[in-house]
Amino acid sequence: MSVFGGTVPETVVCATDGLAARLDELQFDLGEGPRWEAARTRRPVLEPRIREVAHPLWPVFHTALMDTAVEALYVFPLTLGALDVGIVELYSRTPGVLDRTDQAKALVLANETAWNLLDRLLRVQEAASEAVTPTASPLSRREIHQATGMVLVQMNVTPTDALLVLRAHAFSHGKTVRAIAGDVVARRLEFSPVD
């Protein structure tokens, strides 16, 4: 589950296991995948046989998926009216379609999750306003956001372009954006201004 949209930076709230965390990280690092489609369209993205069909909207993510045991992906946007709260990504190691009953259950759970996530976000913001620092999640992307700001200043580019620079550098060096961000924040890696 990820916070996605609004005033809060995109970050993972929780993952059920290492593979779920890896799927989320791959999509974040590559800037493509079903999570981005679900967020953009505000509709579920159901891929019951994800390995069998080419995906023109996210070809690099699809290729990276071949190195995992994932056979099916089901992504649900967490929305409350006009408010985009986050994304829930489910995967299966076996291919299969969610029947109508399973889809209905998933939508009810996604709605409940959206309310719970919104409540959690409001509590975190309240704690921050009271100068109480909440415990950082090991899945937090705080360091990536810090590195994005540093690259923004180093290169005199927009935040979107700074994140794209981090993603491109990570991809071209076979590393995660999290690892590259760590190097930037630790000042082991700097980027030159664009002429």
Side-chain angles (χ1 to χ4, degrees):
M1 177 174 42
S2 299
V3 175
F4 209 92
T7 60
V8 179
E10 191 279 336
T11 193
V12 178
V13 175
C14 62
T16 55
D17 59 24
L19 181 53
R22 180 70 183 133
L23 290 171
D24 182 81
E25 187 171 35
L26 273 172
Q27 291 180 83
F28 180 83
D29 286 359
L30 297 172
E32 65 175 43
R35 70 183 326 223
W36 302 101
E37 185 179 341
R40 181 181 51 77
T41 64
R42 302 183 91 223
R43 298 182 57 150
V45 176
L46 308 174
E47 294 289 341
R49 289 175 178 75
I50 197 154
R51 294 174 166 275
E52 297 174 15
V53 180
H55 296 278
L57 295 178
W58 22 280
V60 179
F61 173 72
H62 184 257
T63 300
L65 204 56
M66 295 302 118
D67 292 334
T68 72
V70 174
E71 293 287 339
L73 273 174
Y74 315 101
V75 183
F76 294 87
L78 301 177
T79 59
L80 298 170
L83 183 64
D84 295 320
V85 180
I87 296 287
V88 170
E89 301 169 81
L90 307 172
Y91 75 89
S92 176
R93 293 177 189 265
T94 58
V97 176
L98 291 180
D99 63 26
R100 284 186 178 183
T101 302
D102 289 337
Q103 283 186 44
K105 287 178 186 176
L107 290 170
V108 167
L109 290 172
N111 187 56
E112 289 177 20
T113 301
W115 282 107
N116 288 330
L117 183 56
L118 179 61
D119 180 57
R120 181 175 173 174
L121 291 171
L122 293 173
R123 286 188 212 183
V124 167
Q125 286 181 339
E126 183 179 310
S129 69
E130 295 173 359
V132 176
T133 305
T135 305
S137 164
L139 299 173
S140 170
R141 292 204 170 100
R142 179 179 297 152
E143 195 170 53
I144 293 171
H145 300 303
Q146 290 171 334
T148 300
M150 292 174 72
V151 171
L152 176 149
V153 171
Q154 292 169 1
M155 298 185 71
N156 192 27
V157 295
T158 67
T160 300
D161 289 343
L163 182 56
L164 287 173
V165 166
L166 289 173
R167 284 181 172 147
H169 191 82
F171 182 77
S172 68
H173 288 85
K175 294 184 177 182
T176 65
V177 173
R178 187 180 305 276
I180 296 302
D183 288 344
V184 170
V185 171
R187 294 182 172 28
R188 292 185 295 266
L189 176 62
E190 290 188 20
F191 293 90
S192 302
V194 175
D195 293 330

